[in-house]
């Protein structure tokens, strides 16, 4: 008869915990390390505050008996789930354990993830997923397939309610990729992570094309080409540090505000360097990230999707200790024009900020939408409309600074006053008009130029003096003020302080119909 004494039962408990923590054993852990990857438990411990992790369902095992699985019942079933603290704030977490069945998802595995998603929703806490999985557990058939749908359903339900952050720290294929894309932010590790719907073998079979994991869905592909990755880092430690830094800028849910930190950067700081940063000629591109860093607290930016659509900057920063979302044209790339990629990048960012009570600060320097057949055939009309839609829909505090160019339809899509922006100001260097001087002259002065081509510079200068300034917009109230660039930081901080209690009533409806 088994020993039933309290000491024996405690020993059995310790043995069970040791077994659950071991996964598939030391050899599997060594293989994980040899790939340059941490184990799931190492990642969880490295992310959370020391000693704060409370594990859930560590003893659960799968129910399948097919294909020899009955003889392979590993406690935890290949995913670690639970709750913990990050900088003292509650979060829920799940981490794929690649050492167990290659991290493949089955019925019980999905149930464990759904449990923490439900708990995060209930408690209003961020949900973090650390992905390292070969995909669905084929041996479990429809139960595995259905599990992905259960997880995705909760991603959608939780969207806009709690922040959802995903780190891809190994393979992520098939159905798993949709859950990651339904989260708010996706961090990838260069060299060890990849994402795709169909892998190299399927591509070769169906299309007779050769492609590596890296070529199909490596971190650099999703950084620069697809825009799926919000951020790409070099190793697991950097991914965990990025999650902690990102969470520090975000609220725990849609009913709270982001943490406010103490700030030694004076709120009334006038920045003379902004004048030196401005090029003498409008044809010379302005370094927009450098400009923004001169305005925000301590020059700190948490930039998102830096490799994707670099003609538009999206980043979190702080002003007087308060989190803001920054959207800014970067004329060093594509002259700061808006193209399909930039429109998609910015519209999603603006909508996230709006969902989570993060004020939006926009710096404008754009000559318009990027032209060409590729853009038109790709749907720039529809995709470009998403950005205007996002600004019009947003009800959080919205502040716009027109630094230089604000031409054409791009003017309206970058937080124009008419989109119910709370404050729209311009620098004296601003140019707000339907068209730039060169394009406008060919329309307005067609006859004069035909009769006297030598008057071209004279007519261009006349147009610039009348329209390529902030003054007409100021005269008609489309900018609230023209400010000294050096006063940008104190102006933004003072204005945001007056908007902290802003409330907007929206029409009753099930949901809007964005031009997806």
């Amino acid at each position: 008869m088994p020993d039933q004494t309290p000491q024996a039962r405690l020993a059995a408990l310790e043995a069970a915990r040791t077994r659950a923590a071991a996964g598939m054993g030391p050899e599997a852990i060594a293989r994980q390390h040899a790939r340059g990857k941490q184990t799931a438990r190492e990642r969880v411990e490295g992310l959370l505050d020391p000693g704060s992790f409370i594990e859930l369902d560590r003893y659960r095992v799968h129910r399948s008996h097919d294909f020899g699985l009955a003889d392979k019942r590993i406690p935890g079933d290949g995913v670690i789930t639970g709750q913990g603290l990050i900088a003292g704030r509650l979060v829920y977490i799940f981490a794929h354990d690649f050492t167990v069945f290659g991290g493949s998802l089955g019925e019980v595995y999905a149930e464990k993830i759904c449990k923490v998603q439900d708990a995060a929703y209930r408690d209003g806490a961020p949900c973090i997923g650390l992905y390292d999985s070969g995909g669905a557990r084929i041996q479990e058939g429809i139960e595995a397939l259905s599990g992905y749908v259960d997880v995705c359903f909760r991603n959608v339900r939780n969207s806009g309610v709690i922040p959802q952050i995903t780190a891809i720290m190994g393979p992520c294929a098939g159905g798993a990729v949709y859950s990651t894309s339904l989260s708010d932010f996706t961090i990838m590790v260069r060299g060890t992570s990849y994402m795709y719907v169909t892998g190299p073998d399927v591509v070769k079979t169906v299309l007779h094309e050769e492609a590596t994991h890296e070529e199909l869905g490596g971190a650099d592909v999703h950084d620069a080409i697809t825009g799926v990755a919000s951020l790409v880092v070099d190793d697991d430690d950097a991914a965990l540090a990025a999650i902690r830094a990102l969470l520090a800028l975000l609220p725990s849910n849609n009913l709270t505000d982001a943490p406010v930190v103490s700030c030694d950067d004076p709120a009334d700081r006038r920045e003379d360097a902004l004048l030196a940063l401005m090029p003498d000629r409008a044809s010379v591109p302005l370094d927009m990230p450098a400009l923004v860093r001169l305005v925000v607290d301590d020059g700190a930016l948490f930039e998102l999707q830096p490799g994707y659509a670099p003609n538009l900057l999206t980043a979190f920063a702080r002003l007087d200790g308060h989190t803001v979302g920054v959207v800014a044209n970067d004329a060093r790339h594509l002259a700061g024009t808006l193209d399909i990629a930039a429109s998609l990048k910015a519209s999603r960012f603006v909508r996230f900020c709006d969902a989570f009570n993060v004020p939006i600060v926009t710096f404008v320097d754009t000559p318009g939408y990027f032209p060409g057949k590729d853009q038109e055939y790709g749907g720039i009309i529809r995709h470009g409309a998403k950005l205007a839609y996002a600004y019009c829909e947003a009800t959080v505090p919205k502040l716009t600074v027109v630094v230089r160019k604000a031409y054409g339809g791009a003017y309206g899509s970058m937080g124009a006053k008419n989109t119910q922006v709370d404050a729209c100001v311009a620098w004296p260097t601003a140019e707000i008009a339907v068209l730039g001087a060169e394009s406008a002259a060919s329309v307005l002065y067609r006859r004069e130029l035909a009769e006297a081509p030598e008057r071209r510079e004279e007519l261009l200068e006349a147009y610039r003096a009348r329209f390529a300034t902030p003054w007409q917009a100021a005269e008609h109230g489309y900018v609230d003020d023209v400010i000294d660039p050096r006063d940008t930081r104190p102006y933004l901080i003072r204005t945001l302080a007056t908007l902290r209690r802003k409330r907007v009533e929206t029409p009753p409806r099930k949901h809007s119909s964005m031009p997806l």
Side-chain angles (χ1 to χ4, degrees):
M1 184 175 178
D3 188 347
Q4 298 295 320
T5 62
Q7 293 80 3
R9 294 189 179 219
L10 283 174
L13 171 62
E14 187 61 31
R17 287 186 170 179
T18 301
R19 174 77 178 102
M24 283 293 226
E27 291 183 0
I29 292 173
R31 288 193 295 271
Q32 181 81 344
H33 288 161
R35 298 184 184 101
K37 301 191 296 182
Q38 298 176 8
T39 66
R41 289 194 180 276
E42 288 167 344
R43 290 164 175 165
V44 170
E45 291 168 2
L47 177 63
L48 301 178
D49 295 350
S52 70
F53 182 51
I54 300 174
E55 188 168 354
L56 299 172
D57 292 335
R58 77 172 78 197
Y59 305 116
R60 292 201 66 179
V61 293
H62 66 74
R63 307 183 184 98
S64 182
H65 299 279
D66 295 324
F67 303 100
L69 283 180
D71 299 324
K72 298 178 181 178
R73 292 161 60 83
I74 309 299
D77 201 42
V79 62
I80 297 169
T81 58
Q83 67 184 64
L85 303 177
I86 292 181
R89 298 166 64 199
L90 176 66
V91 299
Y92 282 87
I93 187 169
F94 60 90
H96 298 173
D97 187 350
F98 193 80
T99 72
V100 178
F101 305 131
S104 59
L105 178 143
E107 176 191 17
V108 170
Y109 186 119
E111 289 174 355
K112 290 182 63 177
I113 294 175
C114 290
K115 180 184 281 190
V116 296
Q117 289 178 303
D118 290 341
Y121 179 80
R122 177 197 68 206
D123 296 342
C127 190
I128 301 164
L130 308 182
Y131 279 67
D132 189 1
S133 168
R137 194 173 299 167
I138 301 172
Q139 299 94 322
E140 294 196 29
I142 186 61
E143 297 295 350
L145 201 61
S146 177
Y148 276 130
V149 181
D150 289 334
V151 172
C152 288
F153 173 83
R154 286 160 175 80
N155 286 130
V156 174
R157 182 200 59 191
N158 294 359
S159 179
V161 179
I162 56 172
Q164 300 178 86
I165 301 175
T166 293
I168 312 300
M169 310 177 85
C172 181
V177 301
Y178 296 113
S179 177
T180 65
S181 294
L182 289 170
S183 66
D184 298 305
F185 304 101
T186 301
I187 299 166
M188 294 188 71
V189 179
R190 182 177 284 109
T192 59
S193 70
Y194 53 84
M195 297 174 65
Y196 44 62
V197 176
T198 53
D201 292 340
V202 176
V203 170
K204 184 176 182 179
T205 300
V206 176
L207 299 177
H208 308 291
E209 293 178 358
E210 298 281 352
T212 66
H213 296 295
E214 234 6 83
E215 290 170 337
L216 269 182
D220 290 326
V221 169
H222 291 305
D223 177 40
I225 299 175
T226 70
V228 169
S230 307
L231 193 64
V232 171
V233 296
D234 290 327
D235 55 37
D236 284 7
D237 284 332
L240 302 179
I243 294 172
R244 292 180 66 92
L246 179 55
L247 276 175
L249 291 157
L250 304 180
S252 291
N253 57 64
N254 65 327
L255 299 179
T256 61
D257 294 323
V260 180
V261 302
S262 60
C263 177
D264 295 327
D265 193 346
D268 60 353
R269 170 170 58 83
R270 298 184 84 234
E271 187 52 72
D272 291 333
L274 288 170
L275 299 182
L277 193 65
M278 182 63 65
D280 292 332
R281 291 179 292 117
S283 59
V284 177
L286 168 69
D287 186 342
M288 184 62 81
L291 183 154
V292 176
R293 290 182 187 277
L294 289 171
V295 173
V296 301
D297 292 356
D298 303 312
L301 282 179
F302 191 101
E303 189 173 352
L304 297 163
Q305 296 180 290
Y308 181 71
N311 43 318
L312 191 132
L313 168 79
T314 53
F316 290 114
R318 290 191 176 95
L319 284 170
D320 198 28
H322 295 262
T323 297
V324 296
V326 176
V327 179
N329 309 108
D330 190 346
R332 298 176 305 165
H333 306 278
L334 297 181
T337 53
L338 294 177
D339 59 355
I340 291 172
S343 299
L344 294 172
K345 174 180 177 177
S347 57
R348 183 167 185 181
F349 180 73
V350 167
R351 297 191 90 216
F352 176 87
C353 291
D354 187 46
F356 288 98
N357 312 312
V358 176
I360 301 162
V361 179
T362 306
F363 294 87
V364 184
D365 181 16
T366 179
Y369 279 93
F370 191 76
K373 287 196 297 185
D374 287 345
Q375 290 291 306
E376 298 296 344
Y377 292 176
I380 186 62
I381 294 173
R382 175 166 46 90
H383 296 303
K386 293 175 184 176
L387 183 52
Y389 192 104
Y391 271 105
C392 292
E393 181 187 45
T395 60
V396 292
K398 297 179 287 188
L399 284 72
T400 297
V401 181
V402 183
V403 176
R404 291 211 295 181
K405 299 174 183 176
Y407 286 132
Y411 155 80
S413 297
M414 286 295 298
K417 183 68 177 179
N418 316 62
T419 62
Q420 301 303 299
V421 163
D422 299 290
C424 180
V425 297
W427 287 6
T429 49
E431 303 173 17
I432 306 172
V434 177
L435 290 171
E438 293 286 345
S439 300
S442 64
V443 176
L444 298 176
Y445 307 124
R446 183 183 295 111
R447 181 176 301 175
E448 292 90 335
L449 289 172
E451 295 173 353
E454 68 278 4
R455 295 188 60 203
R456 183 173 185 81
E457 283 304 317
E458 173 197 341
L459 295 172
L460 287 176
E461 189 54 39
Y463 179 87
R464 292 190 187 103
R466 179 71 180 93
F467 294 104
T469 71
W471 302 113
Q472 187 185 45
E475 289 169 7
H476 291 83
Y478 294 118
V479 297
D480 298 306
D481 198 2
V482 179
I483 66 171
D484 187 321
R486 294 170 291 186
D487 293 327
T488 303
R489 173 179 168 82
Y491 176 85
L492 292 174
I493 289 174
R494 287 197 307 268
T495 306
L496 282 171
T498 68
L499 295 168
R500 298 241 162 83
R501 297 184 180 180
K502 177 186 176 183
R503 293 291 182 269
V504 176
E505 293 291 332
T506 56
R509 57 187 171 188
K510 185 174 182 180
H511 58 72
S512 58
S513 182
M514 189 178 189
L516 299 173

